[in-house]
Short mmCIF file of all heavy atoms in Angstrom, two decimals:
data_model
loop_
_atom_site.label_atom_id
_atom_site.label_comp_id
_atom_site.label_asym_id
_atom_site.label_seq_id
_atom_site.Cartn_x
_atom_site.Cartn_y
_atom_site.Cartn_z
N ASP A 3 -54.61 -25.10 69.69
CA ASP A 3 -55.47 -23.92 69.83
C ASP A 3 -56.31 -23.68 68.61
O ASP A 3 -57.05 -22.71 68.55
CB ASP A 3 -54.61 -22.69 70.11
CG ASP A 3 -53.92 -22.76 71.46
OD1 ASP A 3 -54.47 -23.43 72.34
OD2 ASP A 3 -52.86 -22.12 71.61
N ALA A 24 -44.66 -20.54 62.10
CA ALA A 24 -45.16 -19.68 61.01
C ALA A 24 -46.33 -18.87 61.46
O ALA A 24 -47.15 -19.32 62.24
CB ALA A 24 -45.55 -20.56 59.82
N ALA A 51 -67.68 -18.36 58.76
CA ALA A 51 -66.41 -18.48 59.47
C ALA A 51 -66.54 -19.45 60.61
O ALA A 51 -67.61 -19.64 61.19
CB ALA A 51 -66.00 -17.11 60.00
N THR A 71 -58.18 -5.82 48.75
CA THR A 71 -57.93 -4.81 47.72
C THR A 71 -58.23 -3.42 48.20
O THR A 71 -57.58 -2.48 47.79
CB THR A 71 -58.76 -5.11 46.48
OG1 THR A 71 -60.12 -5.17 46.83
CG2 THR A 71 -58.34 -6.44 45.86
N PRO A 91 -47.07 -2.33 35.10
CA PRO A 91 -46.75 -1.96 33.71
C PRO A 91 -45.70 -0.88 33.64
O PRO A 91 -45.71 0.05 34.43
CB PRO A 91 -48.10 -1.49 33.15
CG PRO A 91 -48.88 -1.05 34.35
CD PRO A 91 -48.46 -1.95 35.46
N PRO A 94 -40.12 -0.43 36.91
CA PRO A 94 -40.05 -0.02 38.31
C PRO A 94 -40.90 1.20 38.59
O PRO A 94 -40.86 2.18 37.86
CB PRO A 94 -38.57 0.28 38.53
CG PRO A 94 -37.87 -0.51 37.46
CD PRO A 94 -38.81 -0.54 36.31
N VAL A 141 24.36 13.78 -3.13
CA VAL A 141 24.96 14.17 -4.41
C VAL A 141 24.45 15.55 -4.82
O VAL A 141 23.23 15.76 -4.90
CB VAL A 141 24.66 13.14 -5.51
CG1 VAL A 141 25.28 13.55 -6.83
CG2 VAL A 141 25.15 11.75 -5.09
N PRO A 150 24.35 20.03 -20.53
CA PRO A 150 23.50 20.14 -21.72
C PRO A 150 22.14 20.73 -21.33
O PRO A 150 21.74 20.72 -20.16
CB PRO A 150 23.34 18.70 -22.19
CG PRO A 150 24.41 17.92 -21.49
CD PRO A 150 24.65 18.62 -20.20
N GLU A 173 29.81 -10.89 6.42
CA GLU A 173 28.91 -10.50 5.33
C GLU A 173 29.65 -10.43 4.00
O GLU A 173 29.13 -10.84 2.96
CB GLU A 173 28.25 -9.16 5.64
CG GLU A 173 27.22 -9.22 6.75
CD GLU A 173 26.71 -7.85 7.14
OE1 GLU A 173 27.50 -6.87 7.06
OE2 GLU A 173 25.53 -7.75 7.53
N ILE A 192 20.89 4.45 -17.70
CA ILE A 192 20.09 5.65 -17.88
C ILE A 192 18.64 5.20 -18.05
O ILE A 192 18.34 4.37 -18.92
CB ILE A 192 20.54 6.46 -19.10
CG1 ILE A 192 21.94 7.03 -18.88
CG2 ILE A 192 19.55 7.60 -19.38
CD1 ILE A 192 22.50 7.76 -20.10
N LEU A 193 17.76 5.70 -17.20
CA LEU A 193 16.33 5.42 -17.33
C LEU A 193 15.63 6.70 -17.76
O LEU A 193 15.67 7.71 -17.06
CB LEU A 193 15.76 4.93 -16.00
CG LEU A 193 14.24 4.73 -15.97
CD1 LEU A 193 13.83 3.59 -16.92
CD2 LEU A 193 13.75 4.44 -14.56
N GLN A 226 41.25 20.83 -15.85
CA GLN A 226 41.09 20.94 -17.30
C GLN A 226 41.17 19.58 -17.99
O GLN A 226 41.99 18.74 -17.62
CB GLN A 226 42.17 21.85 -17.87
CG GLN A 226 42.05 23.32 -17.45
CD GLN A 226 40.79 23.98 -17.97
OE1 GLN A 226 40.28 23.62 -19.06
NE2 GLN A 226 40.27 24.93 -17.22
N ARG A 230 41.92 12.81 -22.27
CA ARG A 230 42.26 11.50 -21.71
C ARG A 230 41.07 10.55 -21.80
O ARG A 230 39.95 10.88 -21.40
CB ARG A 230 42.69 11.70 -20.25
CG ARG A 230 42.99 10.43 -19.48
CD ARG A 230 43.67 10.78 -18.14
NE ARG A 230 42.92 11.78 -17.40
CZ ARG A 230 42.18 11.48 -16.34
NH1 ARG A 230 42.09 10.24 -15.91
NH2 ARG A 230 41.56 12.44 -15.70
N LYS A 233 38.08 3.95 -19.03
CA LYS A 233 36.83 3.21 -18.90
C LYS A 233 35.85 4.05 -18.07
O LYS A 233 36.24 4.78 -17.17
CB LYS A 233 37.07 1.86 -18.23
CG LYS A 233 37.87 0.90 -19.09
CD LYS A 233 38.05 -0.44 -18.39
CE LYS A 233 38.83 -1.40 -19.29
NZ LYS A 233 39.04 -2.72 -18.67
N VAL A 247 28.50 11.91 -13.55
CA VAL A 247 27.41 12.60 -14.25
C VAL A 247 27.99 13.52 -15.32
O VAL A 247 27.50 13.56 -16.46
CB VAL A 247 26.54 13.39 -13.26
CG1 VAL A 247 25.55 14.30 -14.02
CG2 VAL A 247 25.79 12.45 -12.33
N ILE A 264 23.03 2.62 -5.26
CA ILE A 264 22.81 1.63 -4.21
C ILE A 264 24.02 0.71 -4.15
O ILE A 264 24.60 0.34 -5.17
CB ILE A 264 21.52 0.82 -4.47
CG1 ILE A 264 21.24 -0.11 -3.30
CG2 ILE A 264 21.60 0.05 -5.78
CD1 ILE A 264 19.86 -0.74 -3.36
N VAL A 276 11.54 -7.71 0.40
CA VAL A 276 10.38 -7.91 -0.47
C VAL A 276 10.00 -9.39 -0.58
O VAL A 276 8.99 -9.74 -1.18
CB VAL A 276 10.64 -7.31 -1.87
CG1 VAL A 276 11.43 -8.24 -2.75
CG2 VAL A 276 9.34 -6.90 -2.56
N GLN A 302 12.94 -19.45 -10.85
CA GLN A 302 13.20 -19.62 -9.42
C GLN A 302 13.19 -18.27 -8.72
O GLN A 302 13.33 -17.21 -9.36
CB GLN A 302 14.55 -20.31 -9.19
CG GLN A 302 15.71 -19.71 -9.94
CD GLN A 302 16.88 -20.68 -10.06
OE1 GLN A 302 17.61 -20.90 -9.12
NE2 GLN A 302 17.02 -21.28 -11.25
N LYS A 332 17.27 -6.93 -16.45
CA LYS A 332 16.21 -7.91 -16.25
C LYS A 332 15.84 -8.03 -14.78
O LYS A 332 14.65 -8.06 -14.42
CB LYS A 332 16.70 -9.26 -16.80
CG LYS A 332 15.73 -10.42 -16.67
CD LYS A 332 16.38 -11.67 -17.26
CE LYS A 332 15.47 -12.88 -17.15
NZ LYS A 332 16.11 -14.10 -17.72
N GLY A 345 0.50 -7.04 -3.17
CA GLY A 345 0.93 -7.83 -2.02
C GLY A 345 1.99 -7.12 -1.18
O GLY A 345 2.13 -7.40 0.01
N GLY A 358 11.99 0.79 4.26
CA GLY A 358 13.10 1.09 5.16
C GLY A 358 14.42 0.59 4.63
O GLY A 358 15.42 1.31 4.65
N VAL A 412 24.27 6.58 -31.23
CA VAL A 412 24.15 7.29 -29.95
C VAL A 412 23.53 8.67 -30.17
O VAL A 412 22.67 9.10 -29.39
CB VAL A 412 25.52 7.40 -29.26
CG1 VAL A 412 25.42 8.34 -28.05
CG2 VAL A 412 26.01 6.03 -28.81
#
Side-chain angles (χ1 to χ4, degrees):
D3 294 333
T71 56
V141 180
E173 289 173 328
I192 294 175
L193 174 66
Q226 293 295 329
R230 176 168 51 105
K233 292 182 179 180
V247 170
I264 186 169
V276 82
Q302 50 200 283
K332 180 180 179 180
V412 170

